[in-house]
Amino acid sequence: FVPVLAAQKAGALSLKQREELPKMASQGLKNLKSLLGNDGGFKWFAPDSGEDVMMSAYVYRALSISKKMKQSPDEEILNQTRSYLYKALESTSDPFQKAYILFSLLEGGEVETSLIESLTGLVDKQGVYGKALTGLIFHSAGNIDKAKSVFKKALSESGVINGKKLPEDNTIEKDGVETLSALLLLSVRLNEEAISDTLSEELFNRRTDVGWKNSRDTGMAVLALAEKLEVFTEKLTPITLNIIVNGKEFKTVSAKPTEILSDKADWNFSISNLVKGENTIEIVKEKGGTVNSIISLQYINRSKSFSSIDRGIKVKREYFSVTAEDKNGKVNLNVKNSNSFKPGELVMVSLEIE
């Protein structure tokens, strides 16, 4: 639910999403509570797993953001997790983990100056992501010169401005999407608009379909992009798009940046001059800045009668509801054939191909 809250902050929610937001937030908070340990730490997605410092820091930041978005989490949980993270901060010697925890703690309140200053000597031991987080921490503490210096080092080391792609890695510290998100967030807070445009474009290029490779990456990316939109949207010029069908101008549409972030820029057209066989549809930007859009085409055969084509393959689908129960410390999965499901339920699909 964190990306939705961030999108709300940027004004990018549809009317339906705004109506469903309280229910979505409530369900998200309920799911999070099921992963809360006895000492305030959160578990890694599964109730039977151990508490994880990095996951706890991620969740604490999410809960702090939700509080700012008026989706009030349980204050007791926030306080418990904050205490848990302070203890983790005292026991860890890992520079990246220190930076990640402090960055998350600052989302929920002030942090002692001595803890922030302790990162100064660790900058050169950090990778790109760690440097970006350290720069964000310095910026939050009001030390803009230090933040700019660390940002310059992180940006140079990343090579993104020179067209270099950050490598993908399964570790959080070297996660390409999270690293870009942190760099983007810092560029926005330092008012580096041109650099933020480059980082945004690279971040969008990392998408798979409409999101990123997992929910964590998607959450970090959307939060950074939402802040960029909130800060720079009013400076952008209106966008004008020309839609060309089979070489002929079909429609011209225009919208202000604030309209693009709302349902007013959700355009739907029926194209009547399609021809039998191959058709070419072009979207040409005539005016305005960078456009990140989702375009879909749908064709409906409205003939009075038509028959399916037998390609020699038949697919049979069956749907099953999957639930889990704890029996004497062991998790048992129950699978039941069903055609009716509720939001949030786990669904298994069986495909039988002949």
Side-chain angles (χ1 to χ4, degrees), residues 239-243 251-255 267 269 283-284 286:
I239 303 295
T240 300
L241 301 175
N242 192 14
I243 303 170
K251 184 81 70 174
T252 298
V253 294
S254 182
W267 297 298
F269 306 114
I283 310 294
V284 180
E286 292 187 344

Side-chain angles (χ1 to χ4, degrees), residues 56-320:
S56 300
Y58 175 77
V59 173
Y60 179 81
R61 182 181 179 226
L63 292 174
S64 299
I65 291 171
S66 73
K67 182 180 178 180
K68 293 175 183 178
M69 295 292 97
K70 309 301 182 183
Q71 303 296 330
S72 299
D74 191 316
E75 287 289 343
E76 186 178 351
I77 292 177
L78 273 171
N79 293 333
Q80 286 179 349
T81 306
R82 191 173 180 87
S83 296
Y84 171 87
L85 291 174
Y86 262 103
K87 292 177 183 177
L89 198 60
E90 292 174 1
S91 63
T92 185
S93 60
D94 182 84
F96 176 73
Q97 199 169 83
K98 281 180 177 289
Y100 196 94
I101 294 171
L102 280 171
F103 170 67
S104 298
L105 285 171
L106 279 164
E107 194 72 58
E110 294 183 358
V111 171
E112 289 82 350
T113 303
S114 59
L115 290 174
I116 294 173
E117 289 300 320
S118 70
L119 294 177
T120 302
L122 301 176
V123 171
D124 291 334
K125 296 180 181 180
Q126 299 276 19
V128 178
Y129 192 1
K131 284 183 174 69
L133 290 176
T134 302
L136 285 163
I137 293 165
F138 288 154
H139 184 276
S140 295
N143 198 328
I144 308 303
D145 289 337
K146 268 190 177 181
K148 287 182 177 179
S149 175
V150 176
F151 176 60
K152 187 177 179 180
K153 287 183 179 180
L155 198 63
S156 175
E157 190 176 319
S158 74
V160 174
I161 298 300
N162 298 321
K164 179 182 175 183
K165 282 184 70 71
L166 285 168
E168 285 294 345
D169 196 295
N170 290 328
T171 63
I172 295 176
E173 185 176 358
K174 295 183 180 179
D175 185 288
V177 172
E178 288 199 36
T179 301
L180 281 168
S181 301
L183 284 170
L184 173 59
L185 201 58
L186 184 51
S187 71
V188 170
R189 293 181 182 181
L190 291 173
N191 204 32
E192 297 282 358
E193 188 172 356
I195 295 175
S196 76
D197 287 341
T198 301
L199 292 169
S200 296
E201 186 174 350
E202 178 61 24
L203 195 53
F204 273 112
N205 289 338
R206 294 273 182 138
R207 285 185 305 175
T208 56
D209 196 19
V210 295
W212 284 262
K213 65 180 181 181
N214 55 47
S215 59
R216 185 187 176 105
D217 275 4
T218 299
M220 297 294 280
V222 174
L223 284 169
L225 289 165
E227 188 161 325
K228 179 183 187 300
L229 288 170
E230 185 181 27
V231 172
F232 294 133
T233 290
E234 293 303 324
K235 298 180 181 179
L236 300 176
T237 56
I239 303 295
T240 300
L241 301 175
N242 192 14
I243 303 170
I244 301 170
V245 179
N246 294 326
K248 295 182 179 179
E249 186 174 313
F250 169 73
K251 184 81 70 174
T252 298
V253 294
S254 182
K256 297 177 181 178
T258 50
E259 293 174 329
I260 293 173
L261 294 175
S262 69
D263 290 337
K264 296 177 181 178
D266 184 9
W267 297 298
N268 293 277
F269 306 114
S270 294
I271 302 176
S272 58
N273 59 329
L274 295 177
V275 297
K276 185 177 181 180
E278 187 176 293
N279 290 270
T280 301
I281 300 176
E282 301 171 81
I283 310 294
V284 180
K285 185 189 74 175
E286 292 187 344
K287 297 178 182 178
T290 302
V291 177
N292 296 296
S293 61
I294 298 174
I295 301 169
S296 63
L297 299 174
Q298 183 182 43
Y299 172 72
I300 301 174
N301 190 331
R302 299 190 183 279
S303 304
K304 291 183 179 180
S305 63
F306 55 90
S307 58
S308 60
I309 299 175
D310 187 353
R311 300 291 189 187
I313 297 176
K314 294 181 180 179
V315 179
K316 180 183 178 182
R317 295 178 179 85
E318 283 190 277
Y319 300 90
F320 301 86

Side-chain angles (χ1 to χ4, degrees), residues 312-332:
I313 297 176
K314 294 181 180 179
V315 179
K316 180 183 178 182
R317 295 178 179 85
E318 283 190 277
Y319 300 90
F320 301 86
S321 174
V322 182
T323 56
E325 60 179 349
D326 189 343
K327 286 189 175 180
N328 299 323
K330 293 184 178 180
V331 177
N332 292 333

